[in-house]
Amino acid sequence: MSVNTDRHQTAAARYFEAWNATEPEALGKAVAEAWAPEGSYTDPLADVTGHAQIAAVIAAAHEQFPGFVFRPLGAVDGHHDTARFGWELVNEADGSAPVAGFDVVTLGEDGRILRVLGFLDRVPAGA
């Protein structure tokens, strides 16, 4: 049974704001607002901890996929300190979405992310 709260929605919104920030200053600020200082991000391609390393992973994604934005797929589902949500990476020019995944986040008491476990459901060949 899901007990989705504003806390889960807010955390997911901050998460997408960070993933969609492209300017270094905005990216640093968004990561700090979304993640706790000791926060981590782990997916099949990355395993990092701390704001600087998380920001570097996000910046690398934008370098690999310029002109793309991360968008939620479906609703945020959550209970206690855990939330999950799907996402896709969308080309703003043509609307194609070559990458999609699913993330599970653990939140701290202040609502910022302590840990992200990411799963890639759709990845283009050679990416």
Side-chain angles (χ1 to χ4, degrees), residues 9-111:
Q9 294 283 355
T10 298
R14 287 182 183 155
Y15 179 83
F16 284 106
E17 188 173 320
W19 275 97
N20 285 321
T22 57
E23 298 300 319
E25 187 175 321
L27 175 56
K29 181 179 178 188
V31 167
E33 289 176 359
W35 271 271
E38 70 279 12
S40 65
Y41 176 84
T42 303
D43 71 13
L45 306 173
D47 186 8
V48 298
T49 301
H51 292 168
Q53 290 183 2
I54 293 166
V57 166
I58 293 170
H62 286 287
E63 286 177 20
Q64 186 175 5
F65 295 97
F68 284 73
V69 294
F70 288 86
R71 299 240 170 96
L73 271 179
V76 176
D77 185 25
H79 62 81
H80 297 90
D81 291 333
T82 305
R84 64 180 180 163
F85 48 85
W87 53 267
E88 61 185 354
L89 185 58
V90 179
N91 183 323
E92 291 187 293
D94 67 14
S96 64
V99 182
F102 196 86
D103 292 346
V104 177
V105 301
T106 303
L107 304 177
E109 288 184 25
D110 66 357

